[in-house]
Amino acid sequence: MFDVTLFGSVFFTLFVIMDPPGITPIFLALTSGRARKTQRRMAWQAAFVAFGVITTFGICGQQILDYLHVSVPALRVAGGLLLLLIALDLLTGKADEPTQTKDVNVALVPLGMPLLAGPGAIVTVILAVQKASGVGQQASVWVAIIAMHLVLWLVMRYSLAIIRVIKEGGVVLVTRLSGMLLSAIAVQSVANGVFGFVHGQG
């Protein structure tokens, strides 16, 4: 039987971690200056990539980590360092690369992974799938995951209207602010990973 409580728990946990409202300024910064059709394509591509990564780790995530001998703290540190590189590009204005390169990077990195499908979301899904018992609870977990990614797509898709309001100057400001926010997220991810290493050794 479908477990509404479990659905709500997984959905809201992922909502807090993946942070749809917080992704809006970063998405706007990374997609500014492109055709509307390209921006819409980036929105669903990023959501699809994130869903693919989350699904893969939900099905066989623990086996992947065990096979590669990768710990969760290592995953957090790697994700944080990757986000920090993107954040520095946004802060220094180096995000304005050729369209072809940006199209690929925005959909895959950093939006799809590790910003959306980051270490926190991956670990949450792995644990939720492992703890769910029976068809009903498994269905609740996966419906929550699907619903979360639909929300992410909708938020990115309709955030494009903001670009038409804030114009070019506003986009530059949003880009710099996004770089600051993203750098803070990156540092926190690295700090969590380091703390995990220390705690594990203790």
Side-chain angles (χ1 to χ4, degrees):
M1 188 174 180
F2 189 83
D3 192 329
V4 178
T5 302
L6 180 59
F7 167 84
S9 175
V10 174
F11 178 84
F12 285 112
T13 300
L14 287 176
F15 189 93
V16 171
I17 294 173
M18 302 178 90
D19 190 18
I23 201 67
T24 300
I26 298 174
F27 178 79
L28 292 176
L30 292 173
T31 61
S32 63
R34 293 174 174 77
R36 194 177 306 173
K37 182 179 179 180
T38 301
Q39 292 172 325
R40 288 197 295 264
R41 186 177 73 247
M42 286 181 175
W44 76 257
Q45 281 180 338
F48 182 78
V49 169
F51 178 73
V53 172
I54 290 294
T55 299
T56 300
F57 277 93
I59 295 173
C60 51
Q62 193 60 57
Q63 290 85 345
I64 293 174
L65 295 180
D66 291 343
Y67 178 77
L68 297 176
H69 303 289
V70 174
S71 65
V72 172
L75 194 64
R76 290 184 183 276
V77 172
L81 292 175
L82 185 57
L83 287 179
L84 186 58
L85 292 175
I86 303 298
L88 292 175
D89 282 346
L90 291 176
L91 283 170
T92 58
K94 295 180 180 179
D96 299 324
E97 299 293 336
T99 303
Q100 291 85 354
T101 303
K102 288 184 71 179
D103 284 351
V104 174
N105 287 343
V106 168
L108 302 179
V109 178
L111 286 174
M113 182 179 181
L115 194 53
L116 296 179
I122 289 173
V123 172
T124 297
V125 169
I126 291 176
L127 295 178
V129 171
Q130 287 179 347
K131 292 179 181 179
S133 59
V135 177
Q137 289 194 343
Q138 286 288 338
S140 303
V141 170
W142 286 106
V143 170
I145 293 171
I146 294 172
M148 184 67 249
H149 284 83
L150 286 175
V151 170
L152 287 169
W153 172 73
L154 288 171
V155 168
M156 290 186 290
R157 168 68 175 78
Y158 290 101
S159 66
L160 300 178
I162 299 176
I163 293 179
R164 297 194 295 271
V165 176
I166 63 178
K167 306 298 181 183
E168 184 177 349
V171 170
V172 173
L173 177 61
V174 167
T175 299
R176 299 299 182 266
L177 291 175
S178 300
M180 292 181 61
L181 293 173
L182 198 57
S183 62
I185 294 172
V187 171
Q188 185 64 58
S189 179
V190 172
N192 290 341
V194 172
F195 178 78
F197 276 123
V198 173
H199 183 73
Q201 291 173 356

